Amino acid sequence: MATNALPREAWNSRLTFILAATGSAVGLGNIWKFPYIAGENGGGAFVLVYLVCILLAGIPVMIAEVFMGKRTRTSPVLAVEKLAAESGQSTRWRWMAIMGVIAGMVILSYYSIVAGWALAYFPKMISGAFVAIDDAGSSALFNEHLSNPWRLLGWHSLFIIMTMAVVITGVTRGLGKAVEYLMPILFVLLLILLGFSISQGEFSHAVKYLFAFDFGSLTMDSVLAALGHAFFTLSIGMGAIMAYGSYMPEDTPIAKTVLTVAALDTCVALIAGLAIFPIVFASPAIEPGEGAGLLFISLPIAFGSMPGGIFFGALFFALVSVAAWTSSISLIEPAVSWAVDKGKATRLKAGIFLGGICWLLGIGSALSFNVYSDPWIFGLFNWFEFSDFLTSYVMLPVGGILMAIFVGHMFGKSALLESMDIEGWLFDAWRFVLRWITPDLIKIIFFLGIINIFL
Ligand code: PFF
Protein backbone atom coordinates (compact mmCIF):
# COMPACT_ATOMS: atom_id res chain seq x y z
CA MET A 1 0.00 0.00 0.00
CA ALA A 2 1.42 3.36 -0.93
CA THR A 3 0.51 5.71 1.88
CA ASN A 4 2.60 8.46 3.36
CA ALA A 5 3.17 6.56 6.56
CA LEU A 6 4.73 3.52 4.94
CA PRO A 7 7.86 3.36 2.82
CA ARG A 8 6.80 3.65 -0.80
CA GLU A 9 6.84 0.56 -2.90
CA ALA A 10 9.44 0.43 -5.64
CA TRP A 11 10.16 -1.57 -8.77
CA ASN A 12 12.70 -4.12 -7.68
CA SER A 13 15.29 -3.61 -10.36
CA ARG A 14 16.36 -1.40 -13.21
CA LEU A 15 15.13 -3.98 -15.68
CA THR A 16 11.69 -4.08 -14.09
CA PHE A 17 11.47 -0.32 -14.34
CA ILE A 18 12.44 -0.39 -18.01
CA LEU A 19 9.86 -3.08 -18.63
CA ALA A 20 7.12 -1.27 -16.75
CA ALA A 21 7.84 2.02 -18.49
CA THR A 22 7.96 0.18 -21.81
CA GLY A 23 4.71 -1.50 -20.85
CA SER A 24 3.21 1.94 -20.40
CA ALA A 25 4.67 3.36 -23.59
CA VAL A 26 4.03 0.41 -25.89
CA GLY A 27 0.34 -0.06 -26.35
CA LEU A 28 -2.51 0.73 -28.68
CA GLY A 29 -0.67 3.93 -29.56
CA ASN A 30 1.99 1.93 -31.39
CA ILE A 31 0.02 -0.91 -32.88
CA TRP A 32 -3.39 0.63 -33.51
CA LYS A 33 -3.01 4.41 -33.55
CA PHE A 34 0.35 5.03 -35.21
CA PRO A 35 -0.47 3.11 -38.42
CA TYR A 36 -3.93 4.59 -38.69
CA ILE A 37 -2.97 8.23 -38.18
CA ALA A 38 0.08 7.81 -40.40
CA GLY A 39 -2.38 6.53 -43.03
CA GLU A 40 -4.79 9.41 -42.49
CA ASN A 41 -1.98 11.92 -42.77
CA GLY A 42 -0.42 10.61 -45.94
CA GLY A 43 2.45 8.45 -44.61
CA GLY A 44 6.06 9.55 -45.10
CA ALA A 45 5.96 13.21 -44.19
CA PHE A 46 3.98 12.44 -41.06
CA VAL A 47 6.42 9.72 -40.00
CA LEU A 48 9.42 12.00 -40.37
CA VAL A 49 7.82 14.79 -38.35
CA TYR A 50 6.81 12.24 -35.73
CA LEU A 51 10.43 11.04 -35.42
CA VAL A 52 11.69 14.62 -35.13
CA CYS A 53 9.10 15.31 -32.42
CA ILE A 54 10.18 12.21 -30.49
CA LEU A 55 13.75 13.47 -30.60
CA LEU A 56 13.27 17.18 -29.88
CA ALA A 57 10.21 17.13 -27.65
CA GLY A 58 9.44 13.57 -26.54
CA ILE A 59 12.77 12.41 -25.17
CA PRO A 60 13.71 15.70 -23.42
CA VAL A 61 10.31 15.91 -21.71
CA MET A 62 10.38 12.23 -20.78
CA ILE A 63 13.72 12.70 -19.03
CA ALA A 64 12.28 15.74 -17.22
CA GLU A 65 9.21 13.78 -16.15
CA VAL A 66 11.14 10.83 -14.76
CA PHE A 67 13.41 13.30 -12.98
CA MET A 68 10.41 14.92 -11.25
CA GLY A 69 9.00 11.60 -10.09
CA LYS A 70 12.27 10.10 -8.97
CA ARG A 71 13.39 13.17 -7.08
CA THR A 72 10.18 13.57 -5.12
CA ARG A 73 9.01 9.97 -4.83
CA THR A 74 5.40 10.93 -4.66
CA SER A 75 2.39 11.13 -6.97
CA PRO A 76 2.53 13.72 -9.79
CA VAL A 77 0.39 16.47 -8.26
CA LEU A 78 2.20 16.33 -4.93
CA ALA A 79 5.52 15.96 -6.76
CA VAL A 80 4.98 19.21 -8.63
CA GLU A 81 3.88 20.99 -5.45
CA LYS A 82 6.99 19.76 -3.68
CA LEU A 83 9.31 20.77 -6.50
CA ALA A 84 7.67 24.18 -6.83
CA ALA A 85 8.21 24.79 -3.12
CA GLU A 86 11.80 23.56 -3.33
CA SER A 87 12.62 25.94 -6.17
CA GLY A 88 10.70 28.89 -4.72
CA GLN A 89 7.93 28.84 -7.34
CA SER A 90 4.19 29.23 -7.01
CA THR A 91 2.31 26.10 -6.02
CA ARG A 92 -0.08 26.96 -8.86
CA TRP A 93 2.21 24.81 -10.98
CA ARG A 94 0.20 21.97 -9.51
CA TRP A 95 -2.43 22.69 -12.17
CA MET A 96 -0.04 21.31 -14.72
CA ALA A 97 -0.22 17.96 -12.96
CA ILE A 98 -3.95 18.19 -12.29
CA MET A 99 -4.52 18.70 -16.00
CA GLY A 100 -2.46 15.54 -16.52
CA VAL A 101 -4.61 13.59 -14.10
CA ILE A 102 -7.70 14.63 -16.05
CA ALA A 103 -6.04 13.89 -19.40
CA GLY A 104 -5.15 10.37 -18.23
CA MET A 105 -8.70 9.65 -17.23
CA VAL A 106 -10.16 10.97 -20.48
CA ILE A 107 -7.64 8.92 -22.49
CA LEU A 108 -8.49 5.81 -20.51
CA SER A 109 -12.19 6.32 -21.21
CA TYR A 110 -11.77 5.93 -24.98
CA TYR A 111 -8.63 3.78 -24.91
CA SER A 112 -10.72 1.19 -23.16
CA ILE A 113 -13.19 1.07 -26.06
CA VAL A 114 -10.42 0.23 -28.53
CA ALA A 115 -8.85 -2.21 -26.08
CA GLY A 116 -12.29 -3.80 -25.94
CA TRP A 117 -12.15 -4.39 -29.70
CA ALA A 118 -8.85 -6.21 -29.21
CA LEU A 119 -10.33 -8.31 -26.40
CA ALA A 120 -13.32 -9.17 -28.56
CA TYR A 121 -11.12 -10.15 -31.48
CA PHE A 122 -9.48 -12.88 -29.38
CA PRO A 123 -12.55 -15.17 -29.29
CA LYS A 124 -13.47 -14.09 -32.84
CA MET A 125 -10.09 -15.35 -34.05
CA ILE A 126 -10.45 -18.64 -32.19
CA SER A 127 -13.89 -19.17 -33.72
CA GLY A 128 -12.27 -19.27 -37.15
CA ALA A 129 -14.43 -16.38 -38.40
CA PHE A 130 -11.50 -14.98 -40.33
CA VAL A 131 -10.27 -18.11 -42.08
CA ALA A 132 -9.71 -17.30 -45.77
CA ILE A 133 -11.53 -14.00 -45.36
CA ASP A 134 -11.06 -11.28 -48.00
CA ASP A 135 -10.75 -7.53 -47.47
CA ALA A 136 -14.42 -6.75 -48.03
CA GLY A 137 -15.41 -9.54 -45.63
CA SER A 138 -13.04 -8.32 -42.96
CA SER A 139 -14.39 -4.74 -43.24
CA ALA A 140 -17.92 -6.04 -42.97
CA LEU A 141 -17.10 -8.07 -39.84
CA PHE A 142 -15.49 -5.08 -38.15
CA ASN A 143 -18.40 -2.78 -38.97
CA GLU A 144 -20.81 -5.36 -37.70
CA HIS A 145 -18.86 -5.51 -34.45
CA LEU A 146 -19.11 -1.74 -34.01
CA SER A 147 -22.80 -1.58 -34.77
CA ASN A 148 -23.95 -2.89 -31.39
CA PRO A 149 -23.40 -0.39 -28.55
CA TRP A 150 -24.18 -2.95 -25.84
CA ARG A 151 -21.47 -5.24 -27.11
CA LEU A 152 -18.92 -2.40 -27.11
CA LEU A 153 -20.00 -1.42 -23.60
CA GLY A 154 -19.62 -4.98 -22.35
CA TRP A 155 -16.01 -5.23 -23.53
CA HIS A 156 -15.32 -1.69 -22.28
CA SER A 157 -16.59 -2.68 -18.83
CA LEU A 158 -14.42 -5.79 -18.78
CA PHE A 159 -11.33 -3.80 -19.72
CA ILE A 160 -11.94 -1.13 -17.07
CA ILE A 161 -12.37 -3.87 -14.45
CA MET A 162 -9.10 -5.53 -15.57
CA THR A 163 -7.30 -2.18 -15.32
CA MET A 164 -8.68 -1.23 -11.96
CA ALA A 165 -7.94 -4.68 -10.53
CA VAL A 166 -4.21 -4.10 -11.08
CA VAL A 167 -4.26 -0.46 -10.01
CA ILE A 168 -6.07 -1.32 -6.79
CA THR A 169 -3.53 -4.05 -5.95
CA GLY A 170 -0.63 -1.64 -6.53
CA VAL A 171 1.19 -1.20 -9.82
CA THR A 172 4.57 -2.45 -8.69
CA ARG A 173 3.20 -5.86 -7.81
CA GLY A 174 2.66 -8.35 -10.57
CA LEU A 175 2.86 -5.85 -13.38
CA GLY A 176 6.63 -6.02 -13.72
CA LYS A 177 6.54 -9.81 -14.01
CA ALA A 178 3.74 -9.80 -16.56
CA VAL A 179 5.52 -7.30 -18.73
CA GLU A 180 8.79 -9.22 -18.50
CA TYR A 181 7.31 -12.21 -20.34
CA LEU A 182 4.57 -10.76 -22.47
CA MET A 183 6.35 -7.82 -24.07
CA PRO A 184 9.04 -9.98 -25.71
CA ILE A 185 6.38 -12.38 -27.02
CA LEU A 186 4.45 -9.48 -28.55
CA PHE A 187 7.65 -8.27 -30.16
CA VAL A 188 8.34 -11.69 -31.69
CA LEU A 189 4.77 -11.92 -32.97
CA LEU A 190 5.08 -8.56 -34.64
CA LEU A 191 8.24 -9.82 -36.31
CA ILE A 192 6.38 -12.91 -37.53
CA LEU A 193 3.69 -10.63 -39.00
CA LEU A 194 6.37 -8.51 -40.55
CA GLY A 195 7.83 -11.65 -42.17
CA PHE A 196 4.40 -12.50 -43.55
CA SER A 197 3.95 -9.00 -44.93
CA ILE A 198 7.36 -9.01 -46.55
CA SER A 199 6.70 -12.31 -48.28
CA GLN A 200 2.99 -11.95 -49.12
CA GLY A 201 2.15 -8.24 -49.19
CA GLU A 202 3.18 -5.14 -51.07
CA PHE A 203 6.22 -4.54 -48.88
CA SER A 204 8.18 -2.14 -51.07
CA HIS A 205 5.08 -0.03 -51.64
CA ALA A 206 4.64 0.16 -47.85
CA VAL A 207 8.27 1.17 -47.27
CA LYS A 208 7.94 3.91 -49.84
CA TYR A 209 4.68 5.04 -48.36
CA LEU A 210 6.02 5.23 -44.80
CA PHE A 211 9.46 6.64 -45.48
CA ALA A 212 9.35 8.67 -48.67
CA PHE A 213 9.17 12.27 -47.53
CA ASP A 214 6.52 14.04 -49.56
CA PHE A 215 6.52 17.62 -48.39
CA GLY A 216 3.36 18.43 -50.34
CA SER A 217 1.21 16.15 -48.25
CA LEU A 218 2.17 17.86 -44.99
CA THR A 219 -0.45 20.13 -43.45
CA MET A 220 -0.21 21.94 -40.15
CA ASP A 221 -2.80 19.72 -38.53
CA SER A 222 -0.88 16.60 -39.53
CA VAL A 223 2.21 18.15 -37.93
CA LEU A 224 0.17 18.67 -34.76
CA ALA A 225 -1.08 15.08 -35.02
CA ALA A 226 2.54 13.90 -35.20
CA LEU A 227 3.53 15.99 -32.18
CA GLY A 228 0.52 14.87 -30.16
CA HIS A 229 1.24 11.29 -31.07
CA ALA A 230 4.86 11.58 -29.95
CA PHE A 231 3.53 12.48 -26.50
CA PHE A 232 0.80 9.89 -26.54
CA THR A 233 3.05 7.04 -27.56
CA LEU A 234 5.71 7.82 -24.95
CA SER A 235 3.03 8.27 -22.25
CA ILE A 236 4.29 11.74 -21.45
CA GLY A 237 2.86 15.20 -20.82
CA MET A 238 0.37 13.95 -18.25
CA GLY A 239 2.30 12.47 -15.36
CA ALA A 240 2.11 8.74 -16.12
CA ILE A 241 5.84 8.40 -16.52
CA MET A 242 6.35 10.75 -13.57
CA ALA A 243 4.24 8.43 -11.43
CA TYR A 244 6.33 5.46 -12.58
CA GLY A 245 9.52 7.46 -12.02
CA SER A 246 8.52 7.86 -8.40
CA TYR A 247 8.90 4.10 -8.01
CA MET A 248 12.26 4.00 -9.80
CA PRO A 249 15.11 2.33 -7.86
CA GLU A 250 17.67 4.85 -6.62
CA ASP A 251 20.58 3.53 -8.67
CA THR A 252 18.71 3.47 -11.96
CA PRO A 253 20.06 6.02 -14.45
CA ILE A 254 17.33 8.30 -15.80
CA ALA A 255 18.56 9.36 -19.24
CA LYS A 256 19.86 5.97 -20.39
CA THR A 257 16.68 4.29 -19.29
CA VAL A 258 14.51 6.85 -21.07
CA LEU A 259 16.50 6.40 -24.27
CA THR A 260 16.04 2.64 -24.09
CA VAL A 261 12.29 2.95 -23.59
CA ALA A 262 11.88 5.55 -26.34
CA ALA A 263 13.91 3.43 -28.77
CA LEU A 264 11.86 0.29 -28.04
CA ASP A 265 8.64 2.23 -28.39
CA THR A 266 9.62 3.72 -31.73
CA CYS A 267 10.76 0.34 -33.07
CA VAL A 268 7.45 -1.28 -32.17
CA ALA A 269 5.49 1.47 -33.94
CA LEU A 270 7.60 1.27 -37.10
CA ILE A 271 7.44 -2.53 -37.18
CA ALA A 272 3.66 -2.39 -36.72
CA GLY A 273 3.44 0.05 -39.63
CA LEU A 274 5.66 -2.12 -41.81
CA ALA A 275 3.56 -5.17 -40.98
CA ILE A 276 0.20 -3.53 -41.62
CA PHE A 277 0.67 -1.42 -44.75
CA PRO A 278 1.86 -4.20 -47.09
CA ILE A 279 -1.45 -5.95 -46.38
CA VAL A 280 -3.37 -2.71 -46.86
CA PHE A 281 -1.79 -2.13 -50.27
CA ALA A 282 -2.45 -5.71 -51.31
CA SER A 283 -6.16 -5.30 -50.46
CA PRO A 284 -8.19 -3.15 -52.86
CA ALA A 285 -11.06 -2.71 -50.39
CA ILE A 286 -8.84 -1.14 -47.70
CA GLU A 287 -7.59 2.43 -47.87
CA PRO A 288 -4.49 3.60 -45.94
CA GLY A 289 -6.69 6.41 -44.61
CA GLU A 290 -9.32 3.89 -43.50
CA GLY A 291 -9.32 5.39 -40.00
CA ALA A 292 -9.61 3.77 -36.61
CA GLY A 293 -10.44 0.33 -37.98
CA LEU A 294 -7.23 -0.08 -39.98
CA LEU A 295 -5.53 -2.60 -37.68
CA PHE A 296 -8.70 -4.60 -37.09
CA ILE A 297 -9.55 -4.86 -40.76
CA SER A 298 -6.12 -5.47 -42.29
CA LEU A 299 -4.41 -7.96 -39.97
CA PRO A 300 -7.21 -10.53 -39.80
CA ILE A 301 -6.82 -10.93 -43.56
CA ALA A 302 -3.20 -11.91 -43.01
CA PHE A 303 -4.07 -14.31 -40.21
CA GLY A 304 -6.91 -15.74 -42.25
CA SER A 305 -4.58 -16.81 -45.01
CA MET A 306 -1.48 -17.99 -43.12
CA PRO A 307 -0.84 -21.51 -41.81
CA GLY A 308 -1.64 -21.60 -38.09
CA GLY A 309 -3.47 -18.29 -38.53
CA ILE A 310 -6.12 -19.08 -35.94
CA PHE A 311 -3.45 -19.63 -33.31
CA PHE A 312 -1.28 -16.67 -34.28
CA GLY A 313 -4.27 -14.39 -34.71
CA ALA A 314 -5.73 -15.23 -31.33
CA LEU A 315 -2.32 -14.87 -29.70
CA PHE A 316 -1.79 -11.53 -31.42
CA PHE A 317 -5.03 -9.98 -30.22
CA ALA A 318 -4.48 -11.39 -26.74
CA LEU A 319 -1.09 -9.69 -26.66
CA VAL A 320 -2.43 -6.41 -28.04
CA SER A 321 -4.94 -6.53 -25.19
CA VAL A 322 -2.12 -7.07 -22.72
CA ALA A 323 -0.12 -4.21 -24.23
CA ALA A 324 -3.20 -1.99 -23.87
CA TRP A 325 -3.67 -3.22 -20.32
CA THR A 326 -0.12 -2.37 -19.20
CA SER A 327 -0.61 1.11 -20.68
CA SER A 328 -4.04 1.75 -19.25
CA ILE A 329 -2.79 1.08 -15.75
CA SER A 330 -0.39 3.99 -16.10
CA LEU A 331 -3.18 6.24 -17.40
CA ILE A 332 -5.09 6.09 -14.15
CA GLU A 333 -2.15 5.70 -11.76
CA PRO A 334 -1.55 9.49 -11.39
CA ALA A 335 -5.17 9.97 -10.28
CA VAL A 336 -5.28 7.01 -7.91
CA SER A 337 -1.88 7.64 -6.36
CA TRP A 338 -2.81 11.29 -5.82
CA ALA A 339 -5.90 10.33 -3.83
CA VAL A 340 -3.89 7.79 -1.85
CA ASP A 341 -0.81 9.93 -1.19
CA LYS A 342 -3.04 12.74 -0.01
CA GLY A 343 -4.43 10.30 2.51
CA LYS A 344 -7.92 10.87 1.10
CA ALA A 345 -8.76 7.29 0.20
CA THR A 346 -7.52 3.73 0.06
CA ARG A 347 -6.41 2.34 -3.30
CA LEU A 348 -9.61 0.34 -3.36
CA LYS A 349 -11.97 3.27 -2.90
CA ALA A 350 -10.01 5.62 -5.15
CA GLY A 351 -9.80 2.92 -7.82
CA ILE A 352 -13.51 2.18 -7.81
CA PHE A 353 -14.50 5.85 -7.86
CA LEU A 354 -12.02 7.05 -10.48
CA GLY A 355 -12.37 3.93 -12.62
CA GLY A 356 -16.13 4.50 -12.47
CA ILE A 357 -15.74 8.00 -13.89
CA CYS A 358 -13.63 6.67 -16.78
CA TRP A 359 -16.22 4.00 -17.42
CA LEU A 360 -18.99 6.60 -17.60
CA LEU A 361 -17.02 8.85 -19.96
CA GLY A 362 -16.34 5.84 -22.15
CA ILE A 363 -20.04 5.32 -22.81
CA GLY A 364 -19.95 8.36 -25.10
CA SER A 365 -17.11 6.76 -27.05
CA ALA A 366 -18.89 3.44 -27.38
CA LEU A 367 -21.87 5.28 -28.86
CA SER A 368 -19.64 7.20 -31.27
CA PHE A 369 -19.39 4.12 -33.48
CA ASN A 370 -23.10 3.62 -33.88
CA VAL A 371 -25.96 5.76 -32.54
CA TYR A 372 -24.02 9.02 -32.07
CA SER A 373 -21.42 8.78 -34.80
CA ASP A 374 -22.20 12.22 -36.28
CA PRO A 375 -19.73 15.03 -35.59
CA TRP A 376 -21.92 16.94 -33.14
CA ILE A 377 -19.08 18.73 -31.27
CA PHE A 378 -18.09 21.97 -33.11
CA GLY A 379 -19.43 20.21 -36.17
CA LEU A 380 -16.05 18.42 -36.30
CA PHE A 381 -15.97 15.58 -33.81
CA ASN A 382 -18.06 12.89 -32.23
CA TRP A 383 -17.38 12.09 -28.56
CA PHE A 384 -14.65 9.52 -29.29
CA GLU A 385 -12.88 11.86 -31.69
CA PHE A 386 -13.26 14.79 -29.34
CA SER A 387 -11.79 12.87 -26.39
CA ASP A 388 -8.79 12.01 -28.56
CA PHE A 389 -8.48 15.54 -29.94
CA LEU A 390 -8.70 17.18 -26.53
CA THR A 391 -6.07 14.95 -24.99
CA SER A 392 -3.58 14.21 -27.79
CA TYR A 393 -3.78 17.55 -29.60
CA VAL A 394 -4.27 19.87 -26.64
CA MET A 395 -3.66 18.54 -23.14
CA LEU A 396 -0.54 16.45 -23.73
CA PRO A 397 1.29 19.10 -25.81
CA VAL A 398 0.34 21.84 -23.32
CA GLY A 399 1.46 19.58 -20.47
CA GLY A 400 4.71 19.06 -22.38
CA ILE A 401 5.35 22.81 -22.76
CA LEU A 402 4.73 23.37 -19.06
CA MET A 403 6.94 20.48 -17.96
CA ALA A 404 9.77 21.63 -20.23
CA ILE A 405 9.57 25.16 -18.81
CA PHE A 406 9.19 23.95 -15.25
CA VAL A 407 12.19 21.64 -15.25
CA GLY A 408 14.23 23.62 -17.77
CA HIS A 409 13.89 27.05 -16.21
CA MET A 410 12.95 26.62 -12.57
CA PHE A 411 15.84 24.39 -11.62
CA GLY A 412 19.48 25.35 -11.48
CA LYS A 413 22.04 23.28 -13.31
CA SER A 414 23.42 21.80 -10.11
CA ALA A 415 20.03 20.60 -8.87
CA LEU A 416 19.49 18.79 -12.14
CA LEU A 417 23.01 17.41 -12.32
CA GLU A 418 22.62 15.87 -8.86
CA SER A 419 19.91 13.55 -10.09
CA MET A 420 21.07 12.94 -13.62
CA ASP A 421 23.22 10.14 -15.00
CA ILE A 422 24.47 12.21 -17.91
CA GLU A 423 27.06 14.94 -17.67
CA GLY A 424 29.26 17.03 -19.92
CA TRP A 425 28.00 17.90 -23.39
CA LEU A 426 25.20 15.35 -23.29
CA PHE A 427 23.70 16.94 -20.20
CA ASP A 428 24.16 20.42 -21.66
CA ALA A 429 22.52 19.36 -24.90
CA TRP A 430 19.50 17.92 -23.07
CA ARG A 431 19.09 21.02 -20.91
CA PHE A 432 19.54 23.35 -23.86
CA VAL A 433 16.92 21.56 -25.95
CA LEU A 434 14.52 21.41 -22.99
CA ARG A 435 14.91 25.13 -22.29
CA TRP A 436 15.16 26.66 -25.73
CA ILE A 437 13.83 24.29 -28.33
CA THR A 438 11.12 22.03 -26.91
CA PRO A 439 8.73 24.72 -25.55
CA ASP A 440 8.88 26.90 -28.65
CA LEU A 441 8.66 24.00 -31.03
CA ILE A 442 5.52 22.75 -29.28
CA LYS A 443 4.02 26.25 -29.08
CA ILE A 444 4.47 26.90 -32.79
CA ILE A 445 3.11 23.53 -33.89
CA PHE A 446 0.27 23.77 -31.39
CA PHE A 447 -1.00 27.20 -32.44
CA LEU A 448 -0.62 26.68 -36.18
CA GLY A 449 -2.22 23.25 -35.93
CA ILE A 450 -5.20 24.42 -33.90
CA ILE A 451 -5.76 27.40 -36.22
CA ASN A 452 -5.65 25.06 -39.20
CA ILE A 453 -8.21 22.74 -37.66
CA PHE A 454 -10.74 25.40 -36.71
CA LEU A 455 -10.39 27.86 -39.60
N1 PFF B 1 1.59 5.20 -24.54
C1 PFF B 1 0.37 4.46 -24.62
C2 PFF B 1 0.24 3.87 -26.00
O1 PFF B 1 1.04 4.20 -26.88
O2 PFF B 1 -0.67 3.10 -26.22
C3 PFF B 1 -0.84 5.26 -24.27
C4 PFF B 1 -0.67 6.13 -23.08
C5 PFF B 1 -0.37 5.58 -21.85
C6 PFF B 1 -0.74 7.49 -23.24
C7 PFF B 1 -0.15 6.39 -20.76
C8 PFF B 1 -0.51 8.34 -22.17
C9 PFF B 1 -0.22 7.76 -20.95
F1 PFF B 1 -0.02 8.54 -19.94
Side-chain angles (χ1 to χ4, degrees):
M1 220 187 353
T3 66
N4 274 343
L6 293 169
R8 257 175 103 68
E9 42 181 337
W11 309 106
N12 44 28
S13 71
R14 175 175 176 207
L15 180 68
T16 323
F17 178 83
I18 293 186
L19 290 168
T22 309
S24 165
V26 173
L28 295 173
N30 309 63
I31 303 163
W32 160 73
K33 198 173 183 195
F34 170 73
Y36 111 69
I37 52 175
E40 281 188 339
N41 289 287
F46 171 88
V47 175
L48 184 78
V49 177
Y50 156 78
L51 293 174
V52 171
C53 289
I54 292 270
L55 212 63
L56 293 182
I59 291 173
V61 170
M62 197 168 181
I63 294 178
E65 241 193 272
V66 177
F67 157 80
M68 290 192 269
K70 189 179 178 196
R71 189 170 172 107
T72 53
R73 303 238 169 256
T74 181
S75 54
V77 179
L78 302 187
V80 173
E81 282 175 3
K82 217 167 169 179
L83 290 169
E86 187 188 312
S87 58
Q89 303 300 318
S90 157
T91 47
R92 264 181 295 178
W93 275 102
R94 78 157 75 86
W95 287 99
M96 160 174 93
I98 294 176
M99 181 178 72
V101 165
I102 299 170
M105 291 177 61
V106 175
I107 297 177
L108 177 58
S109 75
Y110 74 85
Y111 200 84
S112 165
I113 299 296
V114 180
W117 301 346
L119 284 175
Y121 264 50
F122 173 69
K124 265 199 211 311
M125 280 286 157
I126 293 181
S127 75
F130 292 98
V131 173
I133 203 162
D134 62 4
D135 37 357
S138 184
S139 286
L141 262 179
F142 181 66
N143 290 328
E144 200 279 319
H145 181 71
L146 297 187
S147 64
N148 182 343
W150 293 107
R151 184 162 46 208
L152 299 190
L153 279 178
W155 290 109
H156 166 57
S157 310
L158 174 64
F159 188 76
I160 291 278
I161 291 171
M162 284 166 57
T163 302
M164 297 329 297
V166 178
V167 176
I168 286 167
T169 334
V171 292
T172 55
R173 260 172 255 165
L175 180 62
K177 268 273 161 291
V179 174
E180 203 165 320
Y181 294 105
L182 296 169
M183 280 291 143
I185 304 180
L186 178 66
F187 203 73
V188 171
L189 253 182
L190 275 173
L191 291 178
I192 293 178
L193 271 172
L194 180 66
F196 175 88
S197 294
I198 293 175
S199 63
Q200 308 285 321
E202 298 277 329
F203 188 67
S204 58
H205 190 167
V207 172
K208 226 161 104 214
Y209 180 76
L210 283 174
F211 299 110
F213 183 68
D214 167 18
F215 202 72
S217 68
L218 206 60
T219 61
M220 231 23 241
D221 52 337
S222 48
V223 175
L224 178 56
L227 173 77
H229 189 64
F231 280 88
F232 186 93
T233 192
L234 294 177
S235 306
I236 55 172
M238 52 143 287
I241 286 296
M242 200 191 311
Y244 276 22
S246 76
Y247 303 118
M248 192 182 208
E250 204 48 54
D251 57 354
T252 303
I254 296 179
K256 279 194 204 102
T257 309
V258 163
L259 284 178
T260 313
V261 175
L264 284 171
D265 186 77
T266 310
C267 283
V268 173
L270 294 177
I271 295 174
L274 286 173
I276 288 172
F277 281 106
I279 303 167
V280 171
F281 290 125
S283 316
I286 311 177
E287 292 289 320
E290 184 76 37
L294 191 69
L295 169 79
F296 294 87
I297 296 173
S298 62
L299 288 192
I301 303 172
F303 290 122
S305 66
M306 68 169 72
I310 291 190
F311 172 75
F312 285 125
L315 187 60
F316 177 77
F317 283 105
L319 289 168
V320 170
S321 307
V322 172
W325 192 20
T326 55
S327 299
S328 64
I329 290 160
S330 70
L331 281 164
I332 187 98
E333 175 62 16
V336 172
S337 60
W338 183 24
V340 174
D341 280 351
K342 247 189 127 90
K344 287 267 189 270
T346 57
R347 271 197 166 261
L348 179 69
K349 279 196 186 138
I352 293 176
F353 179 69
L354 297 164
I357 296 179
C358 298
W359 181 81
L360 279 174
L361 288 175
I363 296 177
S365 290
L367 300 182
S368 301
F369 293 94
N370 32 67
V371 273
Y372 291 113
S373 59
D374 289 342
W376 56 276
I377 304 175
F378 303 127
L380 291 173
F381 314 102
N382 59 34
W383 183 257
F384 174 85
E385 290 160 348
F386 183 68
S387 307
D388 184 30
F389 168 79
L390 183 68
T391 49
S392 309
Y393 284 59
V394 182
M395 294 171 105
L396 300 187
V398 170
I401 299 176
L402 294 174
M403 284 179 185
I405 296 176
F406 186 63
V407 173
H409 291 274
M410 307 303 165
F411 288 86
K413 197 171 169 177
S414 54
L416 293 175
L417 264 174
E418 250 169 46
S419 318
M420 211 51 75
D421 53 307
I422 41 174
E423 46 193 349
W425 72 269
L426 217 55
F427 173 85
D428 291 332
W430 165 68
R431 188 158 175 261
F432 178 83
V433 173
L434 192 70
R435 283 161 72 91
W436 306 115
I437 298 188
T438 311
D440 288 335
L441 179 79
I442 306 177
K443 273 184 227 162
I444 295 169
I445 298 180
F446 178 70
F447 286 114
L448 294 179
I450 293 287
I451 289 170
N452 204 32
I453 288 170
F454 284 98
L455 292 187

